[in-house]
Amino acid sequence: MASLAEISTAKHVLDPMCGVGTILVEAAMEWPHATFLGIDKSESQLKYALDNVKKAGVMHSVALLKGSVLDLPVVSESIDIVISDIPFGKKFTCSRDMKELLPDIIHQMERVLRIGGVLVLLLSQKLHHHLKTNFHFKSDEIERLQVPKLDSPSLSNSESLNYKGQTATDKLDFPSLTHIESHSVSLGVTEAVFFKCKKTSQTMFC
Ligand SMILES: C[S@@+](CC[C@H](N)C(=O)[O-])C[C@H]1O[C@@H](n2cnc3c(N)ncnc32)[C@H](O)[C@@H]1O
């Protein structure tokens, strides 16, 4: 996920549902020049995250904060990379259906990303299908020439999915986000999808 998110050139990286901090810790060890912020609503998860951060020796570059992804305590357009593993509903139950929360979650992520920033999500196949069916992102067909080419992520069992032919009709619009790529990934017992977007224009705030 971190490779797909182009962290190598980033300064500020946010995981707004960081859990025990696995993604941030792995990324902080690989890219020590960046700063990482992990937010989670669960104090117990944050305690484990702090342990992991200490054990990995990345205290200098990782900060942890209690908060909600639905109301991020983060300045708009201040983050280069948002990377997150959205709860599948198996291990982490949510009081509301994730499908219901997803628009607000993505709006918050869109808000804090700077223009040119990258969003990478790990989604269940079900949630990815919901997103594909009900949400509208710009396609990268036009943007592709301007987007720096990434080295292909070495994902086993990966399959490129795209959003060609999509129309915005009746879909929830995220006008500042351009869909770059999606890849299927096997997590052993579960199949999931890496979903990558780039913020290509300013967010319109109402
Ligand atoms: C799938 S887990 C993240 C796993 C994480 N990648 C790790 O390494 O542990 C999802 C996390 O989202 C958190 N979460 C659920 N709802 C949230 C909310 N509204 N705001 C912030 N965090 C939330 C849960 O507490 C849980 O830690």
Coordinates of all heavy atoms in Angstrom, one line a residue, residues 15-24 39-42 45 67-70 72 84-88 91-94 98 101 105, ligand 1:
D15 N -2.7 8.2 8.3 CA -3.6 7.1 8.4 C -4.7 7.4 9.4 O -4.5 7.4 10.6 CB -2.9 5.8 8.8 CG -3.8 4.6 8.8 OD1 -5.1 4.8 8.7 OD2 -3.4 3.4 8.9
P16 N -5.9 7.8 8.9 CA -6.9 8.3 9.8 C -7.7 7.2 10.5 O -8.6 7.5 11.3 CB -7.8 9.1 8.9 CG -7.7 8.5 7.6 CD -6.3 7.9 7.5
M17 N -7.4 5.9 10.3 CA -8.0 4.8 11.0 C -6.9 3.8 11.2 O -6.8 2.7 10.7 CB -9.1 4.1 10.1 CG -10.2 5.1 9.7 SD -11.4 4.4 8.6 CE -12.7 3.9 9.8
C18 N -5.9 4.3 12.0 CA -4.6 3.6 12.0 C -4.5 2.3 12.8 O -3.6 1.5 12.6 CB -3.5 4.6 12.5 SG -3.6 4.9 14.3
G19 N -5.5 2.0 13.6 CA -5.5 0.8 14.4 C -4.2 0.7 15.2 O -3.8 1.6 15.9
V20 N -3.5 -0.5 15.1 CA -2.3 -0.7 15.9 C -1.1 -0.1 15.1 O 0.1 -0.4 15.5 CB -2.1 -2.2 16.2 CG1 -3.3 -2.7 17.1 CG2 -1.9 -3.1 15.0
G21 N -1.3 0.6 14.0 CA -0.3 1.3 13.4 C 0.6 0.6 12.4 O 1.6 1.1 12.0
T22 N 0.1 -0.6 12.0 CA 1.0 -1.4 11.1 C 1.5 -0.7 9.8 O 2.7 -0.7 9.5 CB 0.2 -2.7 10.7 OG1 -0.6 -3.2 11.8 CG2 1.1 -3.8 10.1
I23 N 0.5 0.0 9.2 CA 0.9 0.6 7.9 C 1.9 1.7 8.1 O 2.9 1.8 7.5 CB -0.4 1.2 7.2 CG1 -1.3 0.1 6.8 CG2 0.0 2.0 5.9 CD1 -2.7 0.6 6.4
L24 N 1.6 2.5 9.1 CA 2.5 3.7 9.4 C 3.9 3.2 9.9 O 4.9 3.8 9.5 CB 1.9 4.6 10.5 CG 0.6 5.3 10.1 CD1 0.1 6.1 11.3 CD2 0.8 6.2 8.9
I39 N -4.3 8.4 13.3 CA -5.5 8.8 14.1 C -6.4 7.5 14.2 O -6.6 6.8 13.3 CB -6.3 9.9 13.4 CG1 -5.4 11.2 13.4 CG2 -7.6 10.2 14.1 CD1 -6.0 12.4 12.7
D40 N -7.0 7.3 15.4 CA -7.9 6.3 15.6 C -8.9 6.7 16.7 O -8.5 7.4 17.6 CB -7.2 4.9 16.0 CG -8.1 3.7 15.7 OD1 -9.1 3.4 16.4 OD2 -7.8 3.0 14.6
K41 N -10.1 6.2 16.7 CA -11.1 6.5 17.7 C -10.9 5.7 18.9 O -11.5 6.0 20.0 CB -12.5 6.5 17.2 CG -13.0 5.0 16.9 CD -14.5 5.0 16.5 CE -14.9 3.6 16.4 NZ -16.3 3.5 16.1
S42 N -10.2 4.6 18.8 CA -10.1 3.6 19.9 C -8.8 3.8 20.7 O -7.7 3.7 20.1 CB -10.1 2.2 19.3 OG -9.5 1.3 20.2
Q45 N -6.6 0.6 20.7 CA -5.8 0.4 19.5 C -4.6 1.4 19.5 O -3.5 1.0 19.1 CB -6.7 0.7 18.3 CG -7.8 -0.3 18.0 CD -7.2 -1.7 17.6 OE1 -7.2 -2.6 18.4 NE2 -6.8 -1.8 16.4
G67 N -9.0 10.5 17.6 CA -9.9 11.3 16.9 C -10.8 10.5 16.0 O -10.6 9.3 15.9
S68 N -11.7 11.1 15.3 CA -12.5 10.4 14.3 C -12.2 10.8 12.9 O -12.0 11.9 12.6 CB -14.0 10.7 14.6 OG -14.8 10.1 13.6
V69 N -12.3 9.8 12.1 CA -12.1 10.0 10.6 C -13.2 10.8 10.1 O -13.1 11.4 9.0 CB -12.0 8.6 9.9 CG1 -13.3 7.8 10.0 CG2 -11.6 8.8 8.4
L70 N -14.3 10.9 10.8 CA -15.5 11.6 10.3 C -15.4 13.1 10.6 O -16.2 13.9 10.1 CB -16.8 11.1 11.0 CG -17.1 9.6 10.6 CD1 -18.2 9.1 11.5 CD2 -17.4 9.5 9.1
L72 N -11.9 14.9 11.0 CA -10.4 14.9 11.3 C -9.9 16.2 11.8 O -10.1 17.3 11.3 CB -9.7 14.6 9.9 CG -9.9 13.1 9.4 CD1 -9.3 13.0 8.0 CD2 -9.2 12.1 10.4
S84 N -5.1 4.1 4.2 CA -5.9 3.6 5.2 C -6.6 2.2 4.8 O -6.9 2.0 3.7 CB -7.0 4.5 5.6 OG -7.4 4.3 7.0
D85 N -6.7 1.5 5.9 CA -7.3 0.1 5.8 C -8.7 0.3 6.4 O -8.9 0.4 7.6 CB -6.4 -0.7 6.6 CG -6.9 -2.1 7.0 OD1 -8.0 -2.4 6.5 OD2 -6.1 -2.8 7.7
I86 N -9.7 0.4 5.5 CA -11.1 0.6 6.0 C -11.7 -0.6 6.6 O -11.6 -1.7 6.0 CB -12.0 1.0 4.8 CG1 -11.4 2.3 4.0 CG2 -13.4 1.3 5.2 CD1 -11.5 3.6 4.7
P87 N -12.3 -0.6 7.8 CA -12.7 -1.8 8.5 C -13.7 -2.6 7.6 O -14.6 -2.0 6.9 CB -13.5 -1.3 9.7 CG -13.0 0.1 9.9 CD -12.5 0.6 8.6
F88 N -13.5 -3.9 7.5 CA -14.3 -4.8 6.7 C -15.6 -5.2 7.4 O -16.5 -5.8 6.9 CB -13.6 -6.1 6.4 CG -12.5 -5.9 5.3 CD1 -11.9 -4.7 5.1 CD2 -12.0 -7.0 4.7 CE1 -10.9 -4.6 4.1 CE2 -11.0 -6.9 3.7 CZ -10.4 -5.7 3.4
K91 N -13.6 -7.9 12.0 CA -12.9 -7.8 13.3 C -13.4 -6.5 14.0 O -13.6 -6.5 15.2 CB -11.4 -7.7 13.0 CG -10.6 -7.8 14.2 CD -9.1 -8.2 13.8 CE -8.2 -7.7 14.8 NZ -6.8 -7.5 14.3
F92 N -13.5 -5.4 13.2 CA -13.9 -4.1 13.8 C -15.3 -3.8 13.4 O -15.6 -3.4 12.3 CB -12.9 -3.0 13.3 CG -11.5 -3.2 13.7 CD1 -10.6 -3.9 12.8 CD2 -11.1 -2.9 14.9 CE1 -9.3 -4.1 13.2 CE2 -9.7 -3.1 15.3 CZ -8.9 -3.7 14.4
T93 N -16.2 -3.9 14.4 CA -17.6 -3.6 14.1 C -17.7 -2.1 14.2 O -17.1 -1.4 15.0 CB -18.5 -4.3 15.1 OG1 -18.0 -4.1 16.4 CG2 -18.6 -5.8 14.8
C94 N -18.7 -1.5 13.4 CA -18.9 -0.1 13.5 C -20.4 0.1 13.9 O -21.2 -0.8 13.5 CB -18.7 0.6 12.1 SG -17.0 0.8 11.8
M98 N -20.7 0.6 7.1 CA -19.6 1.3 6.5 C -20.0 1.9 5.2 O -19.4 3.0 4.8 CB -18.5 0.2 6.3 CG -17.1 0.7 6.2 SD -16.6 2.2 7.0 CE -16.2 1.7 8.7
L101 N -21.2 5.3 5.9 CA -20.1 6.2 6.4 C -19.1 6.6 5.3 O -18.5 7.6 5.4 CB -19.3 5.5 7.5 CG -20.1 5.2 8.8 CD1 -19.2 4.5 9.8 CD2 -20.6 6.5 9.5
I105 N -16.4 9.7 5.1 CA -14.9 9.3 5.3 C -14.1 9.8 4.1 O -13.1 10.5 4.3 CB -14.8 7.8 5.4 CG1 -15.4 7.3 6.7 CG2 -13.3 7.4 5.3 CD1 -15.4 5.8 6.9
Ligands
LIG1 C1 -9.2 -2.3 9.9 S1 -8.7 -1.5 11.3 C2 -7.2 -0.7 10.9 C3 -6.1 -1.7 10.9 C4 -4.8 -1.0 10.9 N1 -4.3 -1.0 9.5 C5 -3.8 -1.8 11.8 O1 -2.7 -1.9 11.4 O2 -4.2 -2.1 12.9 C6 -9.8 -0.1 11.4 C7 -9.6 0.8 12.5 O3 -10.5 1.8 12.3 C8 -10.8 2.4 13.6 N2 -12.1 3.2 13.4 C9 -13.3 2.8 13.2 N3 -14.1 3.8 13.1 C10 -13.4 4.9 13.3 C11 -13.6 6.3 13.2 N4 -14.9 6.8 13.1 N5 -12.6 7.2 13.4 C12 -11.3 6.7 13.5 N6 -11.0 5.4 13.6 C13 -12.0 4.5 13.4 C14 -11.0 1.1 14.5 O4 -10.8 1.5 15.8 C15 -9.8 0.3 13.9 O5 -8.7 0.4 14.7

